[in-house]
Amino acid sequence: MATDYTHIILADDDEDDRMFFTDAFDELKMTVKVTTYNDGVYLMDYLNQEDAILPNILFLDLNMPRKSGMECLKEIKENSRFKDVVIAIYSTSASEEDIENTFIKGANIYIKKPSDFKVLKKVLSNVVTTNWQYHTNGLNKDNFLLRL
Amino acid sequence: MIIKRIYKSSWFVKVVFVVSLFAIIFIAGLGYKHITNLSKSTEMVIHTYKVNVELEQILSYLKDSETGQRGYIITQDSLYLKPFIEGRKKVNNSFAELKYLTSDNPEQQKNLKELSSLIDKRLDNLEIASNYAANDQTDLTRFKDVFQEGKNYMGAIRNKLNYMISIENDLLKKRKEEYVSDARFTPVFLYSLILLTLVLMYAAYAKINSNLEKLKKSNQQLEIFKESTNQSEIINKHGSWRWNVEEDSFYFSDNLFRLLGEEPGSFAQTIENFMKFVHPEDVEKLSSQVDEMKENKDLPFIVYRVIHKSGDTRYLKAYGKSTVNSEGITQLLGTTTDITDEIDHYNTLEKRNQELELNNKELQAFNYVASHDLQEPLRKIQTFLSRLEDREQDNFSESGKKYVERINNAASRMRLLIDDLLQYSRTNKSDEILKNSDINKLLEDAQQDLAEVIIAKNATITTVKIPEMKVIPFQIQQLFGNLIGNSLKYSAKDRNPIIAISYDKVEASDDQQLSKALYDEYHRITISDNGIGFEQEYAEKIFTLFNRLHNKDEYSGTGIGLSICKKIVDNHSGFIFAKGEPNIGAVFSIYLPLV
């Protein structure tokens, strides 16, 4: 992608969370373009358009109506068009089961939504500044869940 | 001893009968021989007397002839010659008889020949003498000589006859002696033989009698056994049956009728009648299995339903085995049991299991609600609070700031509660698999998790080497984490915490606390500290959910941590005990079964 900013998409049905997310990037003052979708169906509708600009990093909430984050993850990983998209799971829960399943399905990182706005900013900036090319090579189950 | 054994053996009676049979045949043979001997002896006596009589008769004829001759010589009357002529004829007759009678005795034959020549000579002499008399030459010396010669001949004949008679008498005597010894010995022998036979027969009789007695006893026992079998069939709800495949005849035990809801013997014992009770859906299955039973020796259990006349449906389980009896007839021996109660129990259990599973699913759903839905609003409250503190700090009055702080504390506590409750409910999982784990590593990891607090409190933790155990690893790590965390939390303010972890192996029988133990041997891991301790009376209470010994202002906590510990140990079929002494410290002992 020949753009000089990082394209970020968030799919989350919770309005407050979408607000925290965009606020955090606003305050971080990074060269990013953030787009949000209200659920999995809207997200996939966008991504499946032929002329869609694919994101560098896609943040997926797991628990969404109509189409869950897990379903989106499955569809994206089955389509080679999206092979370069970094997928970050962005969920309230951090149950062993969810972590295990998303790891197997091929997500790149698992983020448990923090309960402190300052921590949120730190997490997001960390994710955006990570060299994913390098990180993906050394990906394993232990560093899959993001810990700060 | 040997006699006793022979007596007890089953072929004893047969042997006695064979021996007795031979003895009787022998006795009969001997008796026959004895009688034959007796009649032979009688014949011999008669024979001897006959011979003797004939011999005497010869002498008497000769005497008659002699007398006749003498009469003729004196009277010259020819009338006197008649006995002389007849005498010669008679002597010849007697001679022929004697020859026949002594035909078996060569000596007497020889004697007879000699006698014959003597008699011939004597008769010739008589004739010569008679001729002299007829010619009136009796005065001649020659006549006298002839007369003298006749007398001599007569003496010789008399001697010969006497000799022959004595020979016959000797023979008779000898035969008599033989007969007497025979007759004396035979009865004794016969008598003892009969006596022996009688003894043997008596023994056989006694044996048969005792066998009969035994048979009677075993019959009685059989009768008792049969009765108790009948009773046990009733109690255990089973019946038995016999099927003679070749004759296609059946025998049903009384209780088999009852299993069909009928009175014993109320219908003819045939497979057709039995099949009338079988549930229509099971008839085909049972019939094919019955056919199979005819061919195979052993069959698996057959379960089928029967319908009583009252309308009740009962489940029966049958098992049959083919056997060949002592007469070489193939029979199927079978048992049928009413398993309706078992099936009912099973169904009830199944239902309960399903209910339990449903409950479990509801619990899991609650877990999810707690972990996700409850956490979400709380997280947002906390995030908004952090934003308030961050951006609106300057707009708050002093009391406003204080309220925000209080809200923050309350939210934090709520988070702690939700997390701990979740932890507690997750510890429930019983489908976790026990696997061999390095306990030292789990202990190390638990300490790692607490590293910050350990450093902050300047705590010293000593450990020993602990062997591998079969556990659910993450639960045991949490157990260690909770207990060490507990020791750190309740440390005394005036001294640095010292936590000692030790290990040993104990026999359940050696430890009073393990009176309810299911295993013989246990691993014991002890964690002791020098903290504030507690009154021993609370030793059990501290493990119950939400139970706290301290005000939450003094020590933070939810009252769930030790409950989780108890649950983890329970999951491992182990025990956990606490011992406390105020301001001295606490000791937690974990017992895990050695498997």
Side-chain angles (χ1 to χ4, degrees):
Chain A
M1 246 170 283
T3 46
D4 56 350
Y5 56 84
T6 309
H7 188 196
I8 286 163
I9 290 180
L10 166 71
D12 196 328
D13 63 315
D14 192 290
E15 199 191 338
D16 293 336
D17 277 331
R18 288 200 301 271
M19 192 186 83
F20 291 144
F21 193 83
T22 48
D23 285 359
F25 275 113
D26 283 350
E27 288 184 20
L28 279 170
K29 303 202 178 5
M30 296 173 96
T31 50
V32 293
K33 186 183 169 232
V34 178
T35 322
T36 61
Y37 291 94
N38 290 6
D39 66 29
V41 176
Y42 289 125
L43 171 75
M44 292 316 292
D45 282 352
Y46 168 74
L47 290 178
N48 283 327
Q49 288 168 23
E50 290 210 1
D51 56 346
I53 299 162
L54 295 182
N56 299 95
I57 303 171
L58 171 65
F59 288 80
L60 266 179
D61 183 21
L62 286 182
N63 189 29
M64 290 186 288
R66 301 210 291 168
K67 190 174 270 182
S68 73
M70 194 66 82
E71 284 169 279
C72 296
L73 175 64
K74 197 167 165 258
E75 278 180 41
I76 289 164
K77 280 293 155 187
E78 277 167 2
N79 192 335
S80 61
R81 200 156 71 90
F82 309 125
K83 68 181 189 320
D84 291 330
V85 178
V86 172
I87 296 173
I89 302 300
Y90 184 64
S91 174
T92 310
S93 94
S95 74
E96 287 284 335
E97 203 185 340
D98 286 343
I99 293 171
E100 177 94 24
N101 286 341
T102 51
F103 178 73
I104 290 167
K105 291 260 160 62
N108 298 81
I109 193 146
Y110 196 106
I111 301 159
K112 187 172 186 269
K113 290 177 183 170
S115 51
D116 187 316
F117 191 72
K118 276 178 273 182
V119 177
L120 175 65
K121 286 201 311 198
K122 209 173 162 191
V123 164
L124 293 181
S125 99
N126 244 353
V127 171
V128 172
T129 53
T130 298
N131 181 340
W132 286 105
Q133 191 67 46
Y134 171 76
H135 187 268
T136 310
N137 285 340
L139 189 65
N140 63 48
K141 233 186 111 186
D142 287 335
N143 60 20
F144 178 58
L145 177 67
L146 182 70
R147 287 176 220 265
L148 286 175
Chain B
M1 208 54 207
I2 295 164
I3 292 170
K4 215 170 180 180
R5 219 172 55 214
I6 291 170
Y7 180 74
K8 280 198 169 168
S9 76
S10 60
W11 41 264
F12 173 74
V13 174
K14 284 175 197 164
V15 168
V16 165
F17 270 107
V18 170
V19 168
S20 302
L21 193 73
F22 277 110
I24 288 166
I25 289 170
F26 189 67
I27 289 165
L30 215 62
Y32 175 74
K33 191 183 159 230
H34 192 61
I35 287 164
T36 316
N37 277 353
L38 199 67
S39 71
K40 236 189 207 162
S41 299
T42 316
E43 262 170 35
M44 283 298 165
V45 172
I46 291 168
H47 179 263
T48 307
Y49 281 123
K50 258 188 188 168
V51 171
N52 284 355
V53 165
E54 288 299 330
L55 287 172
E56 296 276 3
Q57 219 144 33
I58 286 173
L59 188 64
S60 135
Y61 293 147
L62 281 176
K63 274 181 186 165
D64 282 353
S65 302
E66 204 175 39
T67 311
Q69 183 228 24
R70 277 181 193 160
Y72 176 71
I73 291 172
I74 295 165
T75 61
Q76 292 287 328
D77 188 349
S78 61
L79 189 78
Y80 289 98
L81 278 175
K82 203 185 167 195
F84 170 72
I85 295 158
E86 276 175 11
R88 191 165 187 131
K89 220 194 222 161
K90 280 178 182 166
V91 166
N92 281 341
N93 282 343
S94 284
F95 235 94
E97 181 73 25
L98 273 173
K99 231 178 180 166
Y100 165 72
L101 285 171
T102 60
S103 57
D104 60 336
N105 193 332
E107 198 194 350
Q108 290 292 65
Q109 289 264 319
K110 197 180 135 223
N111 286 334
L112 210 60
K113 234 178 225 165
E114 282 168 21
L115 184 66
S116 167
S117 78
L118 277 174
I119 288 169
D120 279 347
K121 277 179 186 158
R122 173 65 186 134
L123 287 176
D124 286 348
N125 172 274
L126 276 178
E127 204 157 349
I128 294 166
S130 297
N131 285 340
Y132 278 116
N135 299 330
D136 274 336
Q137 293 168 330
T138 46
D139 298 337
L140 288 174
T141 41
R142 252 195 73 73
F143 172 74
K144 278 176 187 167
D145 285 346
V146 168
F147 213 83
Q148 186 61 46
E149 202 180 38
K151 195 178 178 256
N152 287 347
Y153 278 135
M154 202 58 183
I157 286 168
R158 220 182 280 267
N159 280 343
K160 196 75 198 172
L161 282 170
N162 282 340
Y163 175 63
M164 280 180 76
I165 285 168
S166 82
I167 283 176
E168 279 301 315
N169 281 344
D170 279 354
L171 253 173
L172 181 68
K173 203 176 156 198
K174 220 170 104 194
R175 279 168 184 160
K176 249 185 188 160
E177 267 169 13
E178 263 176 27
Y179 170 70
V180 164
S181 80
D182 238 20
R184 197 187 299 134
F185 176 69
T186 309
V188 173
F189 183 68
L190 274 181
Y191 189 69
S192 42
L193 203 62
I194 287 170
L195 221 61
L196 178 71
T197 312
L198 277 177
V199 167
L200 279 175
M201 296 261 270
Y202 175 75
Y205 169 77
K207 169 82 175 152
I208 289 169
N209 225 24
S210 83
N211 280 359
L212 266 177
E213 205 60 38
K214 267 186 212 155
L215 208 67
K216 221 161 112 186
K217 261 187 199 156
S218 15
N219 258 344
Q220 275 171 351
Q221 266 167 349
L222 260 177
E223 203 60 40
I224 292 166
F225 179 69
K226 199 179 150 195
E227 195 47 47
S228 63
T229 306
N230 276 342
Q231 284 175 5
S232 98
E233 282 194 356
I234 293 171
I235 289 168
N236 295 314
K237 291 190 178 173
H238 74 245
S240 53
W241 45 268
R242 263 200 322 268
W243 179 17
N244 184 330
V245 179
E246 280 148 52
E247 291 175 15
D248 200 28
S249 62
F250 279 89
Y251 161 79
F252 295 167
S253 78
D254 285 356
N255 210 45
L256 191 64
F257 286 98
R258 294 191 193 101
L259 292 186
L260 299 173
E262 298 296 311
E263 283 300 310
S266 58
F267 60 86
Q269 300 170 10
T270 65
I271 189 103
E272 290 78 19
N273 281 344
F274 190 85
M275 281 296 185
K276 280 181 198 160
F277 290 92
V278 177
H279 193 287
E281 288 171 20
D282 291 347
V283 167
E284 203 181 318
K285 182 179 79 180
L286 184 61
S287 303
S288 76
Q289 272 172 315
V290 165
D291 287 339
E292 226 177 289
M293 229 194 295
K294 285 189 216 170
E295 274 135 42
N296 295 337
K297 280 228 176 284
D298 258 311
L299 269 187
F301 292 103
I302 307 170
V303 176
Y304 56 93
R305 287 166 291 174
V306 293
I307 303 173
H308 288 187
K309 278 189 182 140
S310 62
D312 283 355
T313 301
R314 308 289 296 178
Y315 285 85
L316 299 187
K317 182 161 93 173
Y319 175 70
K321 198 175 174 169
S322 149
T323 57
V324 178
N325 72 5
S326 56
E327 284 148 37
I329 296 166
T330 306
Q331 279 190 327
L332 274 171
L333 297 183
T335 313
T336 300
T337 313
D338 188 324
I339 53 161
T340 314
D341 292 345
E342 278 99 318
I343 286 193
D344 284 350
H345 285 150
Y346 175 78
N347 286 341
T348 318
L349 254 175
E350 189 75 349
K351 215 172 127 193
R352 297 255 161 86
N353 265 349
Q354 277 171 358
E355 278 171 18
L356 258 174
E357 226 161 275
L358 206 76
N359 278 349
N360 236 1
K361 273 192 183 142
E362 273 173 20
L363 216 73
Q364 274 172 1
F366 170 78
N367 250 352
Y368 189 76
V369 168
S371 71
H372 197 271
D373 295 14
L374 277 180
Q375 277 184 25
E376 205 164 73
L378 180 63
R379 179 176 51 79
K380 280 191 214 158
I381 291 169
Q382 286 183 308
T383 312
F384 279 119
L385 276 170
S386 72
R387 298 225 72 190
L388 266 182
E389 282 179 321
D390 209 25
R391 301 183 75 174
E392 311 295 330
Q393 189 78 359
D394 303 336
N395 302 336
F396 279 138
S397 65
E398 276 310 304
S399 55
K401 280 180 195 164
K402 211 170 149 191
Y403 295 152
V404 170
E405 197 193 320
R406 287 279 166 132
I407 296 170
N408 225 341
N409 281 346
S412 294
R413 186 163 170 71
M414 188 165 173
R415 172 160 295 277
L416 202 65
L417 267 169
I418 290 175
D419 284 349
D420 280 0
L421 262 180
L422 259 177
Q423 197 94 61
Y424 182 78
S425 58
R426 274 193 194 135
T427 313
N428 243 351
K429 275 194 176 170
S430 55
D431 50 344
E432 295 286 350
I433 299 156
L434 296 170
K435 53 185 175 190
N436 281 324
S437 316
D438 181 355
I439 303 299
N440 302 295
K441 171 89 170 47
L442 296 176
L443 192 54
E444 218 170 88
D445 289 349
Q447 290 182 55
Q448 202 66 50
D449 291 344
L450 293 162
E452 270 176 56
V453 196
I454 292 170
I455 292 164
K457 293 233 172 188
N458 201 15
T460 314
I461 300 178
T462 59
T463 58
V464 293
K465 198 163 162 43
I466 300 174
E468 218 175 52
M469 293 179 203
K470 233 178 160 173
V471 295
I472 307 165
F474 82 89
Q475 290 196 355
I476 293 300
Q477 185 179 332
Q478 182 165 9
L479 173 69
F480 289 142
N482 283 9
L483 288 176
I484 296 171
N486 225 48
S487 289
L488 292 170
K489 189 192 285 176
Y490 298 106
S491 58
K493 288 191 174 73
D494 57 348
R495 53 186 184 257
N496 287 336
I498 298 171
I499 301 167
I501 297 161
S502 62
Y503 166 84
D504 62 348
K505 210 186 277 182
V506 289
E507 299 264 339
S509 50
D510 294 344
D511 200 317
Q512 276 188 331
Q513 292 183 111
L514 297 181
S515 58
K516 288 176 188 164
L518 295 173
Y519 296 85
D520 295 335
E521 275 189 298
Y522 283 83
H523 297 288
R524 177 166 63 186
I525 301 166
T526 327
I527 298 172
S528 47
D529 62 47
N530 60 344
I532 59 166
F534 55 88
E535 293 283 354
Q536 186 57 30
E537 57 180 296
Y538 300 116
E540 277 183 49
K541 234 179 159 185
I542 54 173
F543 291 110
T544 50
L545 199 56
F546 300 122
N547 208 293
R548 295 170 47 80
L549 298 181
H550 304 276
N551 194 295
K552 58 176 175 277
D553 296 337
E554 291 176 281
Y555 294 97
S556 69
T558 55
I560 300 173
L562 284 179
S563 308
I564 293 174
C565 290
K566 173 112 176 72
K567 215 164 192 186
I568 290 170
V569 173
D570 284 348
N571 284 351
H572 288 77
S573 315
F575 300 94
I576 184 165
F577 302 108
K579 224 167 88 184
E581 217 174 311
N583 212 28
I584 299 282
V587 180
F588 286 89
S589 305
I590 306 159
Y591 294 84
L592 297 179
L594 207 133
V595 284

